[in-house]
Amino acid sequence: MLWRRNLFAPLAALALALTASAGAGTAAAATDTTVVAAASPAASATDDFGSPGPYATAVEVGAITTLYYPRDIADSDRRHPVIVWGNGTGGVPLVYRDLMLHWASQGFVVAAANTPMSNLGISMRASIDMLTGRNADRGSIFFDRVDLEHIGASGHSQGGAAAIVVGSDPRIDTILPIQPGPLANINAVRVPALLLAGQRDSIVFPALVKAFYNAADHIPALYGEVRGADHFTVVGDPGPFAAPTTAWFRAQLMGDRTAGAQFFGPGCGICTDTATWSDVRRNSLALNVPAATP
């Protein structure tokens, strides 16, 4: 399809450029897995979801999945919720590294499918299977530290469509498709959804994302259109996408009431933030969700 051809070349070129610039920091190991530690972020204010969280982060690059996670997870006093991620056409997790690390710094285990063609969601589901095994393995740093009862799905472009596809999996608790491609059926989703569009996206037009939102009348669904964003605003530095995506997952997967107030209740934060959003919509089921109970 034309949208796939248009997206493949710039994402592939960007992935190559980012890979080259990563240099020794992501050098390949002799096995199929390499672990790279990232710098420790400063703790953020509880309502500043765009700032790094309190966790130092690490990256594990596997054959099928790249994991971004709190570096000291083995010694953590809690279990950490999961976000499974799907790339845009021709993309790899490295393209979205800043967003993945941001979520990991907030306490999430992010399992990013390595495939550049994620639409069917096969690798994203395999990521959940893999983490289930790692969580049960006494020899793993993830042993009993992964909260498999709270799993969200997200992705960009083709990966956004994959997040909708994977949203029908009973293990998924919420979805957050970012500028999702059209090859998905949201009618099969049974969990809350935040659908994000870019005001100036000329690849996945906002109208295509609104169509998903309009079809999602059977679940609590929100539509957010990021002011001035094009299709690649989320790539590299995620900019205006960092804070709302973090708040959504903190609300849905961690029960963070402050985060929930960004989307639900009469004081809905994103509803009045016209600097960030050019259009925000909440369906009737979302309007009935109280802010304190995401």
Side-chain angles (χ1 to χ4, degrees):
M1 296 180 65
L2 180 58
W3 70 272
R4 286 186 172 181
R5 292 198 300 271
N6 287 344
L7 181 56
F8 180 85
L11 273 183
L14 181 58
L16 289 173
L18 288 175
T19 302
S21 66
T26 55
T31 63
D32 64 357
T33 300
T34 179
V35 177
V36 182
S40 302
S44 65
T46 56
D47 59 349
D48 185 5
F49 303 108
S51 294
Y55 294 94
T57 56
V59 182
E60 179 184 303
V61 183
I64 297 175
T65 305
T66 297
L67 296 176
Y68 302 83
Y69 58 94
R71 187 175 64 196
D72 298 325
I73 192 168
D75 300 318
S76 179
D77 60 356
R78 55 170 293 186
R79 294 185 179 92
H80 295 264
V82 175
I83 302 171
V84 292
W85 173 265
N87 307 303
T89 305
V92 294
L94 181 61
V95 170
Y96 305 98
R97 180 179 184 272
D98 288 359
L99 181 59
M100 307 295 101
L101 288 173
H102 182 75
W103 289 342
S105 79
Q106 292 281 340
F108 296 98
V109 175
V110 184
N114 290 339
T115 175
M117 302 296 287
S118 59
N119 209 135
L120 295 178
I122 295 171
S123 296
M124 295 168 72
R125 288 189 173 99
S127 298
I128 302 175
D129 297 337
M130 180 269 291
L131 281 173
T132 300
R134 299 283 291 274
N135 187 61
D137 179 2
R138 290 184 176 274
S140 168
I141 62 170
F142 296 98
F143 174 65
D144 199 30
R145 296 299 87 192
V146 183
D147 184 358
L148 295 166
E149 297 300 315
H150 295 93
I151 303 176
S154 186
H156 175 234
S157 197
Q158 184 181 156
I164 297 173
V165 171
V166 173
S168 65
D169 190 305
R171 297 173 293 182
I172 297 295
D173 296 289
T174 187
I175 63 171
L176 198 167
I178 301 172
Q179 298 160 299
L183 302 182
N185 179 8
I186 204 165
N187 291 324
V189 176
R190 293 292 180 269
V191 294
L194 173 60
L195 296 138
L196 298 185
Q199 183 187 23
R200 297 180 179 172
D201 191 339
S202 59
I203 294 176
V204 176
F205 298 106
L208 296 175
V209 185
K210 286 177 187 173
F212 280 125
Y213 166 78
N214 291 333
D217 56 1
H218 59 295
I219 57 175
L222 292 82
Y223 169 83
E225 186 177 288
V226 179
R227 183 175 298 280
D230 63 25
H231 196 67
F232 299 102
T233 298
V234 72
V235 172
D237 179 354
F241 288 91
T245 58
T246 300
W248 179 261
F249 282 129
R250 286 191 63 90
Q252 295 295 318
L253 303 180
M254 294 180 174
D256 186 324
R257 294 185 177 187
T258 301
Q262 291 294 307
F263 308 99
F264 302 108
C268 165
I270 68 170
C271 299
T272 57
D273 182 7
T274 56
T276 302
W277 307 97
S278 52
D279 191 0
V280 172
R281 305 181 184 197
R282 299 186 292 172
N283 69 8
S284 60
L285 293 176
L287 288 171
N288 287 330
V289 177
T293 314

